[in-house]
Amino acid sequence: MEGVGRAPARTEADIRAVLAELGRRAPSADDVLSELRAAGPRRRGTSPQLPGQLRTAGPHRRRIARLGWPQLAVSAAAVATAVALALTLGGSPSRTGGGPGIFPVLPNPPASADGPPVIVPSGHHPSSAELAKAMLTAFSAAADDLVYWTTDDFRAGHLIQTTRTWSWPAIPRPGQVQYNRDVFSAIPRGASEAMGSVKLTEDNGYVTVTPHPSRYGQDEPARLTMVCYAGTGQVGCGGGRFDTPAGTWSEDTGVMPYIDYRPSPRGADLARQIARGQWRIVGHPLLRGQRAIKLAQTRSGTFEGHPVFLWVSVATYLPLRMIWVYGKFTEVDNWYYLPPSKANLAHLRVPIPPGYQRSG
Amino acid sequence: MTFEDFAGARLQAVLRFATALTGDPDLAKDVVQEVLIRVSSRWQEIGQLDHPEAYIRKMVVNEYLSWRRRSWRLIPSGTSSHLPGRPSPDPADGYVERQALLAELAKLSRRQRTALVLRYYEGFSDAEIADVMGCTRSTVRGHVFKALAALRVELNQPLTITAPRQETR
């Protein structure tokens, strides 16, 4: 449904003016050059394609479809679920009119959540069209599940950052309260990527009311809890209203820009891509103890020929894993659609580390 | 033209672009330095291009898009610390609005922000942006559309694309 968002209030000239102002804050070229001369011949990253060269995979290709998601989770973002601290966790979130006031105590979970029905008979290898159809049905059936989603990023085989995300319900409906948590770990600042290991950096919870789809940015009542971990070299998390110094936690409740926490790519988008031939079935391996359909993205797909693989469960027709390879970068995503049991929903809580003081 | 000649003549412009792109002078400095290290080692090739600066800006974009996620998390909170000394002398409302817009720009995805900067700071066409970002023109328009929608910017002329699809619920 379009047109529900608020009327635009800014013009393109405002954007130009703000960007020009930013440009005027640039550091001095002399400083950059002098530091560069002192830095020595370090090398990192890749260069774009020179005329006449074949394009090589590079870091700029990584996380193509994912960039917006976690960034939002941080910048404004990572809002939180302190809510959850006070909640009695359980079953489906109730629908609300979207007004403030709003974060209800969660009802008890349903008696069972056995997952969506199997659409294709066991032992049958579905075609891409059958698979896409089965996946769409499966996503609908899993709408009220808790989706747990992990992302691990590797550079040259070394794990450099991880994100763990819980989001419930998996497909929130407009007006429905949604609960999210995002835990981010990275190699501490200054540590070698090759030698260092990732360390817990930030833990955010975000509870909000799901808006109707709109072409405009939307504000919704929300509650953001942010724990910014110390000891990773960072000085703070978030910014502005959500500024949280390292070693503290904060909570902000009010009307905030809506952040879409759902995993990307969207399940329904994946199914449509499969139906359109942007993926081809390349195998039927076992993964995480279950039979799976392995797909490889074709050159017509979103990622323009870079190796991307997807595993879909034969039992549930929900995605299990996706691996993206961009040169020396690899991202591994795993999805888990979980019944909204009390134990599973407990993961939506953001634990406050002992000794951490509230800073906002 | 030597690398030093190029840097002396054009580096400040590249830095301004990088600052608009990243929204943070310190990050811009880091990104440009990383790029310049590679540029200097390949100057024999890059210096022969018709437009080495365009190529270098492309490298800056790539570096920014690939910059480790923690890098922007580690930006000290409160970009106002980078303001030159004091608040703008403009009326308070204008200042507050610009700060709000800057904050909202920082919330965009990197690719959305990159498309926006190339369009409104560099004045690039969709085709030029697509070339720099290594994607299609329709993807560029999608990024710009979403970014402007998130910022609630009213377009002078509507973008000729279909609105990004939301997941069917």
Side-chain angles (χ1 to χ4, degrees):
Chain A
M1 195 161 76
E2 297 283 350
V4 176
R6 293 154 182 77
R10 293 166 175 150
T11 67
E12 292 170 289
D14 294 330
I15 297 288
R16 288 192 182 93
V18 163
L19 292 176
E21 181 185 329
L22 267 177
R24 287 194 291 273
R25 300 178 190 177
S28 151
D30 289 342
D31 288 350
V32 171
L33 277 176
S34 59
E35 288 180 23
L36 181 66
R37 291 186 189 107
R42 294 180 298 131
R43 296 193 65 129
R44 189 168 81 82
T46 63
S47 306
Q49 181 185 26
L50 280 167
Q53 283 185 329
L54 290 175
R55 179 176 290 282
T56 56
H60 59 290
R61 304 304 309 164
R62 82 196 247 259
R63 300 181 66 83
I64 289 175
R66 294 282 319 285
L67 282 170
W69 197 98
Q71 277 176 278
L72 287 171
V74 171
S75 35
V79 207
T81 318
V83 163
L85 294 172
L87 293 176
T88 304
L89 293 168
S92 296
S94 59
R95 297 170 71 91
T96 78
I102 54 160
F103 304 119
V105 171
L106 303 185
N108 290 325
S112 68
D114 296 323
V118 173
I119 309 301
V120 181
S122 178
H124 170 68
H125 286 167
S127 65
S128 292
E130 288 173 324
L131 175 61
K133 188 175 178 182
M135 286 178 70
L136 280 174
T137 305
F139 282 118
S140 295
D144 289 327
D145 280 359
L146 169 72
V147 59
Y148 172 52
W149 180 38
T150 70
T151 297
D152 296 318
D153 289 325
F154 299 83
R155 188 200 298 259
H158 300 286
L159 182 65
I160 58 172
Q161 62 184 29
T162 71
T163 308
R164 301 285 179 266
T165 304
W166 294 263
S167 189
W168 180 64
I171 307 177
R173 293 176 285 277
Q176 195 172 26
V177 177
Q178 58 172 274
Y179 303 79
N180 307 279
R181 180 181 169 206
D182 168 82
V183 180
F184 178 70
S185 301
I187 293 176
R189 192 171 203 176
S192 156
E193 279 189 0
M195 303 297 291
S197 56
V198 297
K199 193 170 179 182
L200 188 57
T201 304
E202 199 172 318
D203 193 343
N204 306 296
Y206 175 54
V207 181
T208 192
V209 177
T210 309
H212 288 270
S214 168
R215 60 188 298 181
Y216 301 116
Q218 298 173 88
D219 294 333
E220 292 293 337
R223 182 173 299 162
L224 168 63
T225 304
M226 179 179 290
V227 174
C228 188
Y229 281 88
T232 55
Q234 62 183 344
V235 296
C237 306
R241 177 177 169 185
F242 309 113
D243 181 8
T244 307
T248 70
W249 67 281
S250 66
E251 181 177 295
D252 193 277
T253 302
V255 176
M256 304 177 190
Y258 172 67
I259 301 161
D260 192 340
Y261 247 75
R262 290 172 297 161
S264 177
R266 305 275 185 266
D269 289 341
L270 278 175
R272 290 188 200 100
Q273 289 169 10
I274 292 169
R276 285 197 294 259
Q278 294 179 359
W279 296 84
R280 62 189 169 86
I281 297 172
V282 295
H284 298 83
L286 281 174
L287 182 69
R288 299 197 325 230
Q290 49 188 301
R291 284 178 55 224
I293 300 167
K294 182 179 178 182
L295 301 103
Q297 191 161 63
T298 63
R299 294 196 68 82
S300 63
T302 314
F303 303 102
E304 301 169 359
H306 293 277
V308 186
F309 299 98
L310 171 69
W311 286 259
V312 177
S313 167
V314 172
T316 65
Y317 289 97
L318 293 168
L320 295 170
R321 177 175 294 171
M322 185 177 284
I323 294 182
W324 331 47
V325 180
Y326 306 112
K328 59 186 174 182
F329 292 89
T330 302
E331 177 174 319
V332 180
D333 296 340
N334 281 289
W335 290 281
Y336 303 82
Y337 285 82
L338 306 171
S341 65
K342 189 171 181 177
N344 288 334
L345 292 176
H347 290 293
L348 291 165
R349 297 170 189 267
V350 178
I352 308 298
Y356 274 45
Q357 299 296 313
R358 183 170 177 175
S359 57
Chain B
M1 181 189 286
T2 66
F3 172 69
E4 289 288 322
D5 291 339
F6 171 82
R10 299 306 306 159
L11 179 56
Q12 194 63 55
V14 172
L15 280 164
R16 283 196 294 271
F17 166 69
T19 306
L21 185 67
T22 62
D24 176 64
D26 294 332
L27 178 57
K29 195 173 174 178
D30 288 348
V31 166
V32 169
Q33 282 181 344
E34 292 288 346
V35 166
L36 288 182
I37 288 166
R38 297 201 302 279
V39 169
S40 61
S41 68
R42 299 180 58 202
W43 183 250
Q44 280 195 326
E45 299 165 79
I46 296 170
Q48 299 303 313
L49 299 176
D50 291 338
H51 303 289
E53 186 176 343
Y55 179 80
I56 290 166
R57 287 182 190 227
K58 197 169 180 174
M59 292 177 74
V60 168
V61 167
N62 289 347
E63 188 68 26
Y64 168 62
L65 292 177
S66 67
W67 200 258
R68 285 166 58 179
R69 182 180 174 191
R70 66 183 177 127
S71 299
W72 49 263
R73 282 177 179 260
L74 299 174
I75 296 169
S77 300
T79 52
S80 59
S81 64
H82 297 300
L83 286 172
R86 75 292 167 264
S88 153
D90 292 353
D93 285 352
Y95 176 75
V96 168
E97 164 57 17
R98 282 200 302 281
Q99 291 302 103
L101 189 49
L102 281 171
E104 290 177 38
L105 273 168
K107 296 174 194 170
L108 299 177
S109 77
R110 291 192 202 191
R111 292 186 75 80
Q112 287 174 4
R113 184 186 173 105
T114 299
L116 215 58
V117 169
L118 291 170
R119 184 185 180 111
Y120 292 110
Y121 185 82
E122 291 290 306
F124 282 7
S125 68
D126 288 348
E128 290 169 324
I129 298 171
D131 179 53
V132 171
M133 296 182 67
C135 60
T136 65
R137 279 179 285 180
S138 61
T139 302
V140 168
R141 287 192 289 269
H143 287 316
V144 172
F145 181 93
K146 287 181 189 174
L148 293 179
L151 298 173
R152 292 175 215 159
V153 170
E154 192 168 43
L155 289 168
N156 296 331
Q157 292 181 326
L159 290 171
T160 54
I161 62 166
T162 305
R165 291 183 64 86
Q166 300 280 341
E167 185 171 36
T168 303
R169 298 195 172 104

